[in-house]
Structures are given as C-alpha cells and as structure tokens.
Amino acid sequence: MNGILGDIVDFIQEPSVLVGIIVLVGLLLQKKAFEDVVKATLKAMVGFVVISASADVISASLAPFGEMFQYGFNINGVIPNNEAVVALAIKDYGQATALIMAFGMLANILIARFTKFKNIFLTGHVTLYMACMVAVILSVSGMTGVQLVFTGALALGIIMVLSPAMCQPFMKDVTKNDSVALGHFSSVGYACAGLIGRAVGKNSKSTEEMNVPKSLSFLRDSVVSISITMLILYIVVAIAAGAEYVETNLSGGQNFIVFSMMQALKFAAGFILIQNGVRLVLNEIVPAFRGIATKLVPNSRPALDCPIVFPYAPNAVLVGFISSFIGGIVSMFALGAMGLTIVIPGVVPHFFCGATAGVFGNATGGRRGAILGAFFNGILISFLPVGLLPVLGNLGVANSTFSDVDFAVVGIVLGKLQQFFGGNGVTIALVGIVALMVIYSMISGKKKAETAAE
C-alpha cells in the first residue's frame, strides 16, 4: 500500500507531468492533430522542467547567502523552510499526506466544476507541502482514518480553489488578461501587497520605468541590474562572514570573494532561465486549457507557480526580494525585543514570495506599491510562523517551520477550529464552506442570467 501511495505522490507532485497531462487532455478534447499534440505536450513539459531547474539554481545560490548571513551577524533562531519541515514530517505522516494530496486534487476539480471558483491548481510541490501540513495538524489533534483523509482532502481542495481566487483581481493587473491564475500558497501576502499598492501608489511610476542617465542606460537591462545588485549583496555578506568561514565551510577552499561572485551570477542565470521557461509553458498551456474549460470544467483557468509573473516586471522582482528581506530583518529584531521565538529571514521564501509580492504591488501601485507591499510580505512571513508553531505538535519544537503566508493562516485557523470545536466540528465547518460556495455560485449565476436577459 505504501509503495503504491509513494508512486502516486511521486507522479502527481511533479509539475511537469501535471502540466503535460493537462495539455495532452486539453488538445485531445479539441481533436488537434497528433503532431500538434505531441509538440505542445513536450514543449509544455520542457518549459516546466526549465522553471523547476532554474528555481533549483536560484535556491542553491541563495543557500550559502543565508548561511553567511547567519554566521556573519551571529543570529540563531527558527528558519522557515517548507522542504526541511516536510522532510521531517513525511516520516510519520507520509501515508496521510499522500491520500490527502490525491483526494484534495480531486476535490479541487469538483469544487471548480460546481462553483464559480474555476481555478485548477497545478503547482504540485506546494500542494504536497500543504497536504503534509494539514495531515500533521489534523493528526496531532487525534483525527484518524477516513475522517482524517476526507477532512484533509476537503480542506486542501478548498484552499486550492480559494487561494488563486484571492489573487485573481491583482493577476489581471499583472498579466492584463484573465486566462491564467496564480497557484502558490502565499496568496494572502500577495493580495495584501496588491491592496497596499492601490492604497499608496497614486502617481507612482512602475519599477520598469527607470529614468537613468544615458551613460547608465545599461541598467535598464534586467539581467545587468539583477547581477550588479546581487553581486553587491553577496560580497557584503561574505565579508561579514569572513574569508576563513566561507572558504572552510562553503566554498571548498575557493577564494571567498570569487565564490560569492559566482553564486550571485548563478542567481542571475537562474532568473533568465525562469523567464524562458515561463514563455514556453504559457505558449502551450493556455491554448490547450480551452479544451479542459470547454469539456470538463467550463471557464476554468490554470493556476501556476509564482515565477509565472516574474517576466511581467523583472525590476519589481528584485525590488520585492530586497524589500521583503528587509521586512524580515526588521521583524527578526522586533520578535527578539518582544521575547517571542526569533524567525531568521529565510532567503528562499523571501525571494520567491517577496518577488511575487513586489510584482503585485507594482501592478497596482508602482514603485511605492512594490516596496511597501513586499516589505509587508516580509513582516507576514516572519510573524505568522510564530503563531503556527504551537499547532504543529512535535514539529513545533523543530528548528524549522512552514514558510509561506497561506501555510500559517490555514494552519492557525485549522488548529483553532479543532481547539474549540473538535475534529467533528472541523469536518462540519469545511462541508459547510463548500455548501456556501455552491449556493453563492448558484445565486450569482442566476443574477447574471437575469441581468443578461434584461
């Protein structure tokens, strides 16, 4: 049984496979020619592999940055990292995680089919992480068996539909269309960044409009500007950590300045790869998804991983990362002053979530929106994990926790519901939420039809 479940998890958590299946089914439903189906399916899968590989390149280049930062500034505490905490949890909660993930994806499709929330969540790895967290929280409270799987899958399905819906008004501002949604579990932070942009961004120019002297016009190239900024950041942090530490523990004897420069340039290379992968995926999945929308889930849209928005505002990506990281540093000192658990800024979540928040803030409020929206995101992913730790059972005493905003929000809400209403209360509440979504969609659809008839 565990072997079969393991195979299922390996299969459905791989984004390239999921996207390939979606494109294949979509084009077959449209009765496209065999050669078109093969070409589009492979190109979409390759595109997602490029995105995934480039994300790995960026994550690998950011890892030594985080270590140098901790050592150079002598800071200890909890480091939010989804991969690390899931690796710990999967040993004891692997079977529940697999079942919740599989049935949660089915719940996503059914909810999208019978409500107006038409988002199909396609980011497999974060779906696995959320399934794992839900499994941990429900299990720690004593829920077992069929109820655990049913309740967990229902919770996951609801989150997979509502998380992209929360961001969609702002995604329209980013992409200038309504064909793609955002499938990444930090939607509360992104939506807040969009709202902050609208509140503060009047007359603020976009981050993509850089007024620079002609002699500095090369800075308009996002690759150049990202490379220069990251080179400065890496070298400063490397100097703070010291040559001996870097060359002994990180670089394998390579000069610490050269090592830092190469990590910065690898980061820039990963960013270029992400842009190319996004173009490949969007060019194939959006047309193919029309088949899914027409036949299976009418008017549905694919919800894709956060790098999908990076090409729309490359400068906002950099601004968002830096602003979010600064928000994390400020929060770290504030948590220490308040006597709470210190959350050390995780460079990877601050990059991916902060960059996306920067793009959202820029889309609604220009530079001010990008800076302040991403800064607030940095505060959220620093303070909220502190509230999540108590509901994670034994994992709560580990030196890591889930990093993105939606994990903390969902975890805290589920934990509090169980605390006050018990396991049966959580199950009933989730069934009630789905029922309300269906009723709301029916009423909304009826009003829309009446308006059209007039």
Side-chain angles (χ1 to χ4, degrees):
M1 181 68 174
N2 284 332
I4 296 173
L5 288 172
D7 291 339
I8 292 173
V9 171
D10 288 343
F11 188 78
I12 61 182
Q13 75 167 311
E14 178 53 60
S16 60
V17 174
L18 281 173
V19 168
I21 292 172
I22 292 294
V23 172
L24 176 66
V25 172
L27 293 178
L28 289 176
L29 289 171
Q30 295 177 65
K31 299 180 179 178
K32 295 290 186 180
F34 174 78
E35 60 270 23
D36 293 335
V37 173
V38 172
K39 181 176 70 173
T41 301
L42 289 176
K43 286 179 72 174
M45 293 178 72
V46 168
F48 240 102
V49 170
V50 171
I51 293 174
S52 178
S54 54
D56 290 342
V57 169
I58 287 176
S59 298
S61 71
L62 288 174
F65 182 93
E67 294 183 43
M68 290 187 293
F69 179 86
Q70 283 180 254
Y71 183 82
F73 297 100
N74 193 28
I75 298 169
N76 293 303
V78 172
I79 306 171
N81 183 283
N82 291 332
E83 289 79 7
V85 74
V86 167
L88 293 172
I90 210 76
K91 298 174 185 176
D92 296 322
Y93 305 97
Q95 187 178 64
T97 296
L99 288 169
I100 288 172
M101 181 176 179
F103 286 103
M105 294 178 74
L106 177 61
N108 174 195
I109 294 171
L110 292 174
I111 293 171
R113 175 66 180 84
F114 295 106
T115 73
K116 66 176 293 180
F117 302 96
K118 302 296 184 181
N119 305 300
I120 307 297
F121 201 98
L122 298 179
T123 312
H125 64 291
V126 294
T127 303
L128 172 68
Y129 302 158
M130 183 63 79
C132 182
M133 188 194 73
V134 170
V136 170
I137 292 173
L138 296 181
S139 298
V140 165
S141 69
M143 196 178 291
T144 59
V146 174
Q147 185 184 13
L148 169 65
V149 175
F150 175 80
T151 305
L154 203 56
L156 182 60
I158 292 169
I159 299 161
M160 291 170 77
V161 170
L162 293 185
S163 176
M166 191 181 305
C167 286
Q168 198 56 27
F170 309 105
M171 274 294 284
K172 293 178 186 178
D173 292 325
V174 172
T175 64
K176 309 304 180 187
N177 62 63
D178 196 29
S179 61
V180 176
L182 185 67
H184 192 249
F185 289 133
S186 202
S187 293
V188 172
Y190 305 149
C192 286
L195 290 172
I196 289 171
R198 287 181 179 172
V200 305
K202 186 177 180 180
N203 299 324
S204 179
K205 291 185 178 180
S206 169
T207 54
E208 311 312 299
E209 301 175 37
M210 297 196 315
N211 294 320
V212 296
K214 190 174 181 180
S215 61
L216 297 177
S217 60
F218 64 91
L219 291 175
R220 292 180 182 275
D221 188 317
S222 60
V223 175
V224 175
S225 59
I226 287 173
S227 299
I228 290 174
T229 303
M230 297 309 294
L231 281 167
I232 293 171
L233 289 175
Y234 272 82
I235 291 172
V236 168
V237 173
I239 292 172
E244 182 179 354
Y245 173 80
V246 175
E247 293 172 9
T248 302
N249 297 280
L250 300 175
S251 72
Q254 185 181 31
N255 178 273
F256 76 115
I257 297 295
V258 174
F259 171 77
S260 301
M261 290 175 62
M262 291 309 301
Q263 299 310 307
L265 294 177
K266 286 178 182 178
F267 178 97
F271 186 77
I272 297 169
L273 289 172
I274 280 180
Q275 291 180 309
N276 293 331
V278 166
R279 293 189 190 99
L280 270 175
V281 172
L282 287 182
N283 287 342
E284 305 304 333
I285 195 170
V286 173
F289 212 81
R290 294 192 190 106
I292 304 291
T294 302
K295 302 290 184 179
L296 301 179
V297 186
N299 302 315
S300 60
R301 65 177 72 87
L304 304 173
D305 202 357
C306 61
I308 212 75
V309 303
F310 290 178
Y312 292 97
N315 293 336
V317 168
L318 191 59
V319 170
F321 165 46
I322 295 172
S323 297
S324 181
F325 192 71
I326 292 172
I329 293 173
V330 171
S331 299
M332 178 181 66
F333 289 112
L335 287 166
M338 295 165 66
L340 299 173
T341 301
I342 293 177
V343 175
I344 297 172
V347 184
V348 172
H350 277 289
F351 172 69
F352 287 103
C353 298
T356 308
V359 173
F360 273 57
N362 178 67
T364 59
R367 297 170 191 173
R368 284 199 296 272
I371 294 170
L372 295 178
F375 181 83
F376 186 69
N377 172 83
I379 293 174
L380 286 178
I381 62 176
S382 299
F383 272 85
L384 287 177
V386 176
L388 177 63
L389 288 172
V391 302
L392 291 178
N394 291 334
L395 283 179
V397 299
N399 197 35
S400 186
T401 185
F402 292 92
S403 59
D404 303 346
V405 177
D406 291 358
F407 287 95
V409 172
V410 171
I412 292 169
V413 170
L414 279 179
K416 292 299 180 183
L417 281 174
Q418 292 218 81
Q419 179 182 340
F420 291 112
F421 303 108
N424 292 334
V426 174
T427 305
I428 293 169
L430 293 173
V431 171
I433 290 172
V434 174
L436 288 174
M437 291 169 69
V438 173
I439 293 169
Y440 170 73
S441 300
M442 292 173 63
I443 295 173
S444 177
K446 185 177 180 180
K447 287 183 177 179
K448 187 175 180 180
E450 290 175 351
T451 302
E454 294 174 359

